[in-house]
Amino acid sequence: MPPTLLSLHNVYKTFGGLLAVQDIGFEVIRDTVVGVIGPNGAGKTTVFNLITGSIKPDSGKVIFLKKPITGLKPHSIVNKGIARTFQTIRLFSKLTVLENVLSGCHTRMEAGLVASILRLPSQRREERKFIDRAMDELEFVGLESKWQHPADSLAYGDQRRLEIARALASDPQLLILDEPAGGMNEQETIKLGDLIRKIKKRKITVMLIEHDMSFVMDVCDKVVVMEGGLKIAEGSPMEIQKNQRVIEAYLGVDDENGY
Amino acid sequence: MSDCPTRKWPSLVGTGAAAAAFLAIPLFFKAIGLRSGPYWLDLLNTVGLYTILALSLNVILGHAGMFHMGHAAFFAVGAYTTAILNLNHGWTILATMPAAFLAAGLLAAILAGPIIHLRGDYLLIVTIGIVEITRIALSNNIFGLTGGPNGLVGIARPSLFGFRLSKPQHFFYFIWFMVGVTYVMFYFLENSRFGRALKYIKEDTVAAESMGVNTTAYKLIAFVLGAAWAGVAGAIYASRMRTISPDSFTFEESVLLFTIVILGGSGNQKGVMLGSFMVIGLPEIFRGFQDKRLLVFGAALVLMMIFRPQGLFPPTPARVKLSDAWSNKLVEPATNSESDDG
């Protein structure tokens, strides 16, 4: 297995006249947690959208498991092993917690139209297997007792965890979390950190965007810093904290973040 | 969880009893010698036919959430396919049914390709266009096959094992058997990987795509399936009426079907069935209102949107049965250490 799971090479993306992402390139090593930080509007979410296929780059390459995935549709990228959560929660709010997690299983299931209409034995077997699998993921994030609840009845922090369970159900090699601690209180953030370490133990590589600096420095093995669509620094949390450019551009200016 | 089977059985028995009572209606009419019996059976047949149509539209509109107001076009294609194959080529009605399915499905596949990505009201407008174009094409005797405004006359009755269906009570069993088939088929579909994918699309297309659902393909398949099944309903309709003309497949028919699904509860098959009874059956029972039917529709829709925007029966949460291992695990209380992800 290659140590490099994902890499970006000279990726550009403009929206109208705005250069959202310029010449971005970095590597994500297997079984690590990589944080992407930067001020608002730096292009962090755009980078995530480029990786997951929600938008296509103007130029440049995204390589996953040694193969280019640039320009593929989101659903085939999920199938290749990249799952994501959203900055603003995007659960299927009217559906149950279990149904939400089953959406993650979709890409690993096979039953088609005919098998479903006729409810063939193979289809029923598969359903049973993946309902169990979905329940396991719910247990992993600690929501198994709420499997029958509608997703929108959950507390905010639980909804974030449900989104993670849903993404994990697709059996990803790379999990992309867009501001997972956003809107969480201190207690919930600590539990989230524990959850991410547990995910890492399952040999799933994690990429995350986060504004909570102590959280990022705590859970990440590597940090990529962006500003104005450019990568301005990359390194271990220790290196980033000492980096003069980063302190000027981001940490020094915005002292609300506490570093 | 353990009481699930005990709760399930009475409901199954109840449903069975209700179905049996319903199927005994023709016998009951005969027994009491009701002179207007055939008339009421005919009405129930109409309701049944609309139920099949509405259930097929429900896959598109209710489950996948696509605003499709041109369903009458595919109904028409099915009816005309059956009529043409029967009249010109001597096919039996039953043999034409798969052909009607395929013809309507094929047309849907061709038309849906370029429009499937349209959202909400945009799709609505295009599908209205489809039903109008279909009607006008039929009126203009397209390919010299459709008989123009007068339509096609003298379509055969269906025969089952040498028994020719001719009376309303024959059609009653035929049509309601088809309603049963439709209901079970789409019930299985709803509670499957495929049906869930449609629900995800309806709830949030972007999230569905990001969870690995090929949203374009699923929307397309749902559209084609619903349309093809409307074609089957068209085949039944043609052999029941024996005469079909473009007037039977107007925009108004499409609106009627749309109304049934929305009024009943899009996505809930029981609601859609109730909607058929209300929209098709009630105006007949209150014949005096019939010329004001559209007014009543309008008022009913407005009131529904205000008081019950989800329809009479909104979709219920999916009933999923957990494995025994999981059911037992959740019943036992002492799993706190597990739920704390430390």
Side-chain angles (χ1 to χ4, degrees), chain B residues 10-93:
Chain B
S11 89
L12 260 185
V13 170
T15 313
F22 184 77
L23 290 176
I25 288 175
L27 304 174
F28 174 71
F29 282 170
K30 209 172 183 183
I32 64 167
L34 188 68
R35 187 130 13 114
S36 57
Y39 164 75
W40 291 112
L41 285 181
D42 221 39
L43 176 59
L44 283 175
N45 292 347
T46 308
V47 171
L49 203 64
Y50 273 95
T51 305
I52 298 172
L53 280 171
L55 287 174
S56 70
L57 177 61
N58 186 43
V59 174
I60 303 169
L61 171 62
H63 292 153
M66 295 153 72
F67 283 1
H68 165 43
M69 217 187 239
H71 216 46
F74 305 112
F75 182 41
V77 170
Y80 273 88
T81 304
T82 288
I84 292 164
L85 289 176
N86 176 253
L87 293 172
N88 299 359
H89 304 280
W91 288 34
T92 64
I93 297 300

Side-chain angles (χ1 to χ4, degrees), chain A residues 91-103 146-154 159 162 166, chain B residues 62-63 190 195-204 208 315-318:
Chain A
L91 290 168
F92 306 110
S93 54
K94 302 274 186 311
L95 306 183
T96 64
V97 166
L98 180 63
E99 278 182 293
N100 268 279
V101 182
L102 283 171
S103 73
K146 299 190 172 149
W147 66 283
Q148 274 178 310
H149 294 223
D152 59 2
S153 72
L154 297 188
Q159 292 196 18
L162 177 55
R166 182 175 73 168
Chain B
H63 292 153
E190 186 185 338
R196 279 195 303 271
L198 298 185
K199 284 196 223 174
Y200 302 141
I201 290 171
K202 184 185 181 184
E203 279 268 321
D204 185 339
T316 49

